[in-house]
Amino acid sequence: MSHEIQRVRNIGISAHIDSGKTTLTERILFYAQKIHAIHDVKGKDGVGATMDHMELERERGITITSASTYLEWKDYHLNVIDTPGHVDFTIEVERALRVLDGAILVLCAVAGVQSQSITVDRQMRRYNVPRIAFINKCDRTGANPQRVARALRDKLNHNAVLMQLPIGLEVDHEGVVDLVEMKAIYFRGDNGETIEEGPIPADLQVEAEAARATLIDAASMFSDDLLEAALEETVTPELIREAVRNGVLSLEMTPVFVGSAYKNKGVQPLLDAVNAYLPSPLDPPIEALDLENDNAAVSLESDPSKQTVVYAFKLEDGRYGQLTFVRVYQGTLAKGDTVYRASTGKKIKIGRLVRIHADDMEDIPRAEAGDIVGLFGIDCHSGETFFGDGPRLAMTSMHVPAAVISLSVTPVDSKAQNNMSKALQRFTKEDPTFRVRLDPESGETIVSGMGELHLEIYVERMKREYKAEVETGAPQVAYREAISQRGEFNYVHKKQTGGSGQYAKVVGYLEPIDEAEYEFIDKIKGGNIPTEYIPACDKGFQAAMEKGRMIGFPVVGIRAVLLDGNSHAVDSSDMAFMVAARSAFRQAFTKARPRILEPVMKVEVEGPGEFQGAIYRTLMQRRGNVLGSTEDGGFARVEAEVPLAEMFGYSTDLRSETQGKAEFTMEFAKYAPAPSEVTKELREKYSGQVAEEDEK
Amino acid sequence: MSEVMINLRRSPRKLLERDGHPGPGPGQLALILARAGVGKTAFLVDVGLDALLSGQKVLHVSLDSTVERVRTWYDDILMEMLRSEKKLEHASALELEIEKRRHIHTYVGHSFSTERLRDAIALLRDVMHFEPAVILLDDVNADTLTAEKIESVKAVVEEFGAELWMACQTFREGPQAEAGHLPPPADQFEDQVDLAFQLISQDRKVRLHVLKDGSEMLDEDLHILLDPKTQLVTVGYST
Ligand SMILES: Nc1nc2c(ncn2[C@@H]2O[C@H](COP(=O)(O)OP(=O)(O)O)[C@@H](O)[C@H]2O)c(=O)[nH]1
């Protein structure tokens, strides 16, 4: 299927839980005739919404996949990408946001701007995703879209401008007034599929004119033509639309639409707005990194004739094996093509290409720049870039943030054992921030990730999707060890009593670095250590870093510099130098004022103003460093940085301190040195453990 | 206190002190006057950083910004300072120190009132044992200020023993300063101002003038040029 790229829209729908994202998506698919009946979310008929295909998600009410669905609306081609709404899923959110060109921000007309909207909105801003807003649930008691639009302005700093007025609210909600065309729109028929247009109701005429004037005022900032037309009173709908589009694309304006997904009001005009105002793949500038040229930025163009660059943003297990969702950023991808993996340079051949509809899929021969499609028969990790002949381009740097939390998972029987390894293999492929290792001492399988919920979700998925019954240990904070000054080493490893001996001497120092986890510098002059043994020294240092001397956690931020050494013609070996380097590391580490680093989370708590003191207290009790506070009408918002180790059980605590009226979000902020009392405590605990193990 | 103390040679506050115009003192008000876009916020942040780095606690209040944005101001200007003092290696340690002594409090959607400010400061003191020596009040809409309002804000800071620095935008067009008075709209409440400075933009640099000190009205060029972006002193020269 060939189509003009100007008419492609890759969009996401983001919302706070329960604002109606799933319901809205369902209606969108229905009106685009992708599904044939409306099932209500968590409905009585037992059939869930089509997009929300994971049982677990439905139960939790959160969406953790980024599957993409294709649909057509009035000659436009839309890919609706499911955007995860929870902050714990940093990598998932990032990937979904990366492939979006625009988004619909769904807000509840009663609840307004809630904590998750704030987080997701901030992430969208970070990725420069233009947004339009949909104020949903206008049929609910207490609906007040005007107040929500104001909150968009005040809380999220959006230049929010109403494009419509609701006709009636609460039970009387019947339709919308279109302020661009100045007409009323009603939604008739069993499912609101019949659109009826009419004159603006008399009692809304004055309000509509005022709102339109406000709209034109705001939009004329983005178009001189409109500004001029406004002065000469020759404004046309086209001029307004063009100006609003400019405003949206520059991320300086957020047009606001209203309606009720559940009552089938306002969905079709929202789709019209997606076509009219959100970007096509041609609009935003796209950059890739040239991996062979120091990650230099390279501009890409949504041009089917240029070098192919494709980004894999999501893997899914399907009936026909692994389905890889990709976005083509540049060039063309066709069946039978050969492309290369950016991470390894390895060749792969493209087998089946499919377009994913809500309820089936369709084989297609090729996909062009701007498209989002699925691939079968490709073995890769999520986040991988494929490139065609030419420079080695990647859409993202290969940097993955360090995991901050871990727990042990133990299968209950051998069947579970089997299923668990299948599940873990899959998850680590999907999500590089989810890691698995075997603890050599306890023999336990340890999984680690970006937060408690992050791990919980995977444990649940193991149980449900893979039938792997596992028991989990208590979550452990992933500490790090680091040094704070230079420390010298001068170490001889010697075992020369009878038989073949061992001899190696290394001299040099360790020093702290910020920019990398580890760096090795060889400054040996004159071959005091023969070059063949240098890699063994490097390995020895790295081996020592796996387990620090403070509390047995990995050491980071080390530059190891080798200055001098000595070898023996017979007794030196790789082994001897590795052992020497490892011991030398320990020697220097102790001298370099080692310290423990702990993960610190950025925590935002919001609640009614009268609980501000209580919120402060809950954070102070957890070694929180309160950064600031905001008063917003009757609400208070507090921002703080709190060590992850102190955040266990916070939601319970916060609930009881604020009568359940405050909520919070958190995301990883940084690693910071642990204070001395904490260090002391951790060290005591660690030496206790070591002693215990020695006894065994 | 921090092991790394930075002597801010480029802080405008230090130069003011040198020239015999130290801070306003507890319960008193220092006012920064400037036209839109000349860098009032950066100047207040300089004052805040200077106080923080000399060990004082600072409450930064904004009526039109977010905590995140104010933090970014501090981070950026601190980086700039450290770069010019060639002390970038202290950045993370200093940031930590600063964050412990600084609280940012912002208002959105016309939530500000003197009464609320008082409650907010009291809460910080009672719950967090945070007692600022310096309070900075930014993004105040000066057109709506009256002598009474200023008087009531001063009463609040006096109650808590802090000094107050506030920024006020002057008009680009319309009424200009009359001799012996502060430029409008600050002339409306000039009796309440204990110390007044004006930032004047000229040839891509900003000059600093003292307009009032105690009860004395002046117009004294301090011969200090500030960087228009950071308001850090680029040269302090004497005539
Ligand atoms: N009254 C009303 N309820 C709605 C509307 N949209 C969704 N809901 C209900 O709100 C609940 C949450 O909706 P859902 O679509 O699952 O929200 P999500 O968590 O954002 O995906 C469900 O019970 C929906 O039936 C609406 O426009 N009006």
Side-chain angles (χ1 to χ4, degrees), chain A residues 120-362:
Chain A
V120 176
D121 195 68
R122 192 186 307 131
Q123 280 159 338
M124 294 218 174
R125 200 181 303 248
R126 214 181 282 158
Y127 280 84
N128 292 322
V129 179
R131 284 144 288 176
I132 62 178
F134 181 64
I135 301 181
N136 189 33
K137 302 201 185 182
C138 284
D139 62 304
R140 269 187 61 189
T141 313
N144 187 344
Q146 256 90 357
R147 197 195 56 219
V148 179
R150 221 172 312 129
L152 264 175
R153 233 165 289 149
D154 294 339
K155 281 196 184 177
L156 298 181
N157 260 311
H158 277 253
N159 178 15
V161 183
L162 284 172
M163 303 293 289
Q164 300 172 333
L165 293 179
I167 302 179
L169 282 173
E170 308 186 346
V171 287
D172 299 326
H173 182 53
E174 281 188 83
V176 300
V177 172
D178 177 341
L179 296 171
V180 178
E181 301 281 353
M182 285 305 264
K183 65 186 183 195
I185 306 175
Y186 302 94
F187 306 87
R188 313 286 193 210
D190 287 349
N191 296 311
E193 66 275 24
T194 315
I195 294 205
E196 198 177 291
E197 294 181 358
I200 297 174
D203 58 331
L204 280 175
Q205 188 67 36
V206 174
E207 197 187 334
E209 269 160 28
R212 184 175 209 249
T214 309
L215 162 60
I216 293 173
D217 233 27
S220 56
M221 297 285 293
F222 308 102
S223 153
D224 291 340
D225 292 346
L226 180 63
L227 189 66
E228 219 167 273
L231 292 173
E232 287 163 15
E233 301 195 358
T234 54
V235 173
T236 62
E238 283 66 41
L239 281 174
I240 301 180
R241 277 193 285 265
E242 183 202 295
V244 172
R245 183 156 209 270
N246 292 342
V248 173
L249 295 194
S250 62
L251 282 99
E252 283 175 38
M253 178 171 173
T254 309
V256 179
F257 301 83
V258 299
S260 159
Y262 184 66
K263 292 284 167 71
N264 308 313
K265 307 275 184 275
V267 178
Q268 298 95 324
L270 181 66
L271 282 168
D272 292 341
V274 167
N275 292 355
Y277 305 121
L278 287 178
S280 85
L282 293 175
D283 291 306
I286 311 165
E287 276 186 353
L289 307 173
D290 186 346
L291 298 185
E292 278 157 3
N293 186 12
D294 211 9
N295 286 0
V298 180
S299 295
L300 300 186
E301 279 170 60
S302 292
D303 178 346
S305 64
K306 296 194 130 187
Q307 183 193 0
T308 302
V309 181
V310 174
Y311 176 70
F313 64 95
K314 177 76 195 171
L315 310 181
E316 250 177 44
D317 260 336
R319 221 178 322 154
Y320 310 100
Q322 178 177 311
L323 177 57
T324 308
F325 284 88
V326 301
R327 169 161 176 169
V328 184
Y329 276 99
Q330 187 176 265
T332 303
L333 192 67
K335 205 173 157 161
D337 276 0
T338 300
V339 290
Y340 306 88
R341 286 165 68 155
S343 62
T344 58
K346 258 203 195 142
K347 242 191 223 178
I348 59 163
K349 206 167 151 104
I350 302 298
R352 256 180 98 189
L353 261 86
V354 293
R355 202 182 276 303
I356 312 296
H357 302 265
D359 50 2
D360 60 9
M361 56 186 152
E362 168 198 357

Side-chain angles (χ1 to χ4, degrees), chain A residues 602 625-629 639-641, chain B residues 67 71 99 102-104:
Chain A
K602 167 94 188 275
N625 184 21
V626 175
L627 303 170
S629 44
E639 294 174 37
E641 285 182 343
Chain B
V67 173
R71 266 183 95 195
E99 276 179 353
R102 178 194 66 205
H103 187 91
I104 299 167

